[in-house]
Amino acid sequence: MIVGEVINSRYDIKMLIGDGGMANVYLAYDRVLRKNVAIKMLRYELSKDESFIKRFNREASQVTNLEHPNIVASYAVGTYQEQPFIVMEYIRGKTLKDYLREIGPLTAEEAIYVMIQICQGVDQAHEQGIIHRDLKSQNIMIDDELNVKIADFGIALSSNEADMTQTNTIMGSVHYLAPELARGSLATVASDIYSLGILLYEFLTGSVPFKGEGAVNIALQHMENEIPSVGDTFADLSANYDYIIKKATEKKPAQRYPDVLELIEDLRVAHIEGSLLGGTKVQEVVDETMIIKPIKGKHEKEALIPYKPAKQFSFLSLINGILYTALLVAIVIVYIVVVILPGRFETEHTRIPDVTGLTPDEARIAFDEVGLYGAQIQIIEIRNTEIPEGEIFRTNPAIGSQVRIIEDRTIRVYITTHD
């Protein structure tokens, strides 16, 4: 126990705040940065085991390169009496698991808000080729304002580390485990996306979908059983959430969301626009509303033949001709909008610029410069006397997040007030 000691003449160890099978986490005061930090130190009994040292050092090398508002920041690495450690950001808050135990399920709005933050952090890790492999509510910190940060990349895997398949070992928490990992396959982006789907289910219902006696029993359920409907727990929840969860947790990795950005877009549509209608793709929405559906059998052939008026003029034949022509025009317009235009105008991406310290008017200019011309700025005032009044200190989507350039995007900017 090192509580009360000073590490490397810099870190005053105050107390033990967490312990796990691999490492202990201490609250410490950093004399150089002049603030509290968290120090994650490999357990003494494991410091002689080369495999654990290699794994711990891999985490250290990966997390120090990750910078994102929704990922716990890492400041430095070091060694104390042959025990390696990582100096990390100290988060005042609790784990999402403890938060859910205290208050129960999140509201749909809260679940979407929290999920988007988590997804943005995971997307940043994936951008750098890092698969988390252990996404669970115990590894996510949350504060009273529902701001979240992903922690514990202890078993994270670089996407090009093909030699580290962990043969015959199930890595990660079994309640959130993708079926392919239970079979011993290598973790991929799709594996993390599966865990994100389980997290959304947990946020909305307050519980994980599969329970049982023993890890093998639960793993088998992930491999064989469909995820229960969230509507079975709360009937008033929109079917949108079942769609997103099902898409993220498909048994076959190739059938899940191709990347986290696609998942984020569906989360935003579910929350803002209200109905996914089986998906956010324009094609799928139009298929539910276009008038082609009743044109079946013999009428289908007639609808494709240009109208020919009868030899003898009649008012009824004129009306029929107008209706047939209007129908053909509608079909052509739908075809152009659904098939031709999407192929010519692919959605572009950009990143949320750093508008910290700016006013909302100045942020408007910054958003325009990166292509977010039609973005709607929603101003949220937060009381904070330590920051000059009226300045932006946070955004949602978070600063640096990659987003699609779409019309009517809403960007929340948090500004300070001294009232």
Side-chain angles (χ1 to χ4, degrees), residues 74 108 116 123 135 148 187 189 191 200 274 285 287 300 317 320 353 410:
S74 297
I116 288 178
D123 176 61
L135 290 168
V148 299
V189 166
S191 308
L200 179 56
V285 175
D287 282 348
E300 183 176 10
S317 63
N320 287 336
T410 297

Side-chain angles (χ1 to χ4, degrees), residues 314-374:
S314 70
F315 182 75
L316 180 60
S317 63
L318 176 62
I319 295 298
N320 287 336
I322 294 174
L323 291 176
Y324 274 118
T325 303
L327 177 61
L328 287 173
V329 171
I331 292 173
V332 172
I333 291 175
V334 169
Y335 178 80
I336 293 173
V337 171
V338 173
V339 178
I340 297 178
L341 291 183
R344 294 191 175 186
F345 301 98
E346 295 184 357
T347 305
E348 297 181 353
H349 293 80
T350 187
R351 290 191 179 275
I352 300 296
D354 186 354
V355 294
T356 304
L358 303 183
T359 64
D361 290 339
E362 293 169 333
R364 170 76 277 163
I365 297 174
F367 293 143
D368 289 346
E369 289 177 348
V370 297
L372 297 169
Y373 304 105

Side-chain angles (χ1 to χ4, degrees), residues 6 9-12 29-35:
V6 179
S9 302
R10 175 173 175 174
Y11 306 107
D12 295 299
Y29 179 76
D30 186 335
R31 295 180 179 182
V32 175
L33 297 180
R34 296 184 178 181
K35 65 178 182 180

Side-chain angles (χ1 to χ4, degrees), residues 132-173:
H132 191 287
R133 290 207 300 171
D134 197 21
L135 290 168
K136 57 184 179 180
S137 54
Q138 296 95 317
N139 282 344
I140 299 167
M141 303 298 296
I142 186 169
D143 64 18
D144 292 336
E145 295 181 358
L146 297 183
N147 300 308
V148 299
K149 287 181 180 284
I150 305 168
D152 202 348
F153 281 75
I155 63 171
L157 179 70
S158 173
S159 58
N160 59 9
E161 291 184 275
D163 60 324
M164 304 190 70
T165 58
Q166 302 295 336
T167 305
N168 298 324
T169 302
I170 294 180
M171 303 298 292
S173 300

Side-chain angles (χ1 to χ4, degrees), residues 10-236:
R10 175 173 175 174
Y11 306 107
D12 295 299
I13 306 300
K14 293 184 174 183
M15 60 184 294
L16 178 69
I17 57 176
D19 58 345
M22 180 176 168
N24 293 326
V25 181
Y26 299 91
L27 172 64
Y29 179 76
D30 186 335
R31 295 180 179 182
V32 175
L33 297 180
R34 296 184 178 181
K35 65 178 182 180
N36 287 332
V37 295
I39 292 184
K40 183 175 184 178
M41 180 175 290
L42 184 66
R43 297 175 69 96
Y44 177 79
E45 59 270 26
L46 302 178
S47 62
K48 308 299 181 183
D49 189 317
E50 288 299 326
S51 63
F52 280 98
I53 293 176
K54 181 179 180 181
R55 178 173 151 190
F56 191 88
N57 288 339
R58 186 174 76 249
E59 175 187 5
S61 65
Q62 290 177 156
V63 297
T64 51
N65 293 323
L66 283 175
E67 294 184 8
H68 191 275
N70 299 119
I71 296 177
V72 174
S74 297
Y75 304 130
V77 296
T79 303
Y80 178 71
Q81 296 180 352
E82 299 184 354
Q83 291 177 255
F85 64 82
I86 309 171
V87 182
M88 304 180 298
E89 176 184 11
Y90 173 61
I91 307 298
R92 291 184 179 275
K94 60 192 70 175
T95 69
L96 257 171
K97 177 66 76 175
D98 290 337
Y99 188 82
L100 293 171
R101 284 170 177 163
E102 290 181 11
I103 70 165
L106 303 178
T107 65
E109 182 177 9
E110 290 171 338
I112 295 297
Y113 180 67
V114 169
M115 275 299 301
I116 288 178
Q117 292 182 74
I118 296 170
C119 287
Q120 288 172 340
V122 173
D123 176 61
Q124 177 65 21
H126 289 178
E127 282 276 312
Q128 298 192 27
I130 297 173
I131 313 299
H132 191 287
R133 290 207 300 171
D134 197 21
L135 290 168
K136 57 184 179 180
S137 54
Q138 296 95 317
N139 282 344
I140 299 167
M141 303 298 296
I142 186 169
D143 64 18
D144 292 336
E145 295 181 358
L146 297 183
N147 300 308
V148 299
K149 287 181 180 284
I150 305 168
D152 202 348
F153 281 75
I155 63 171
L157 179 70
S158 173
S159 58
N160 59 9
E161 291 184 275
D163 60 324
M164 304 190 70
T165 58
Q166 302 295 336
T167 305
N168 298 324
T169 302
I170 294 180
M171 303 298 292
S173 300
V174 71
H175 288 99
Y176 306 81
L177 195 70
E180 65 272 15
L181 297 188
R183 295 187 179 96
S185 299
L186 183 66
T188 64
V189 166
S191 308
D192 277 354
I193 289 175
Y194 185 94
S195 299
L196 291 171
I198 301 297
L199 280 171
L200 179 56
Y201 181 95
E202 183 180 16
F203 296 164
L204 292 169
T205 66
S207 176
V208 291
F210 299 133
K211 299 178 182 179
E213 296 182 2
V216 174
N217 176 279
I218 298 172
L220 284 173
Q221 292 182 67
H222 280 286
M223 296 167 64
E224 300 172 356
N225 298 353
E226 293 297 321
I227 304 295
S229 167
V230 294
D232 293 342
T233 304
F234 295 103
D236 59 337

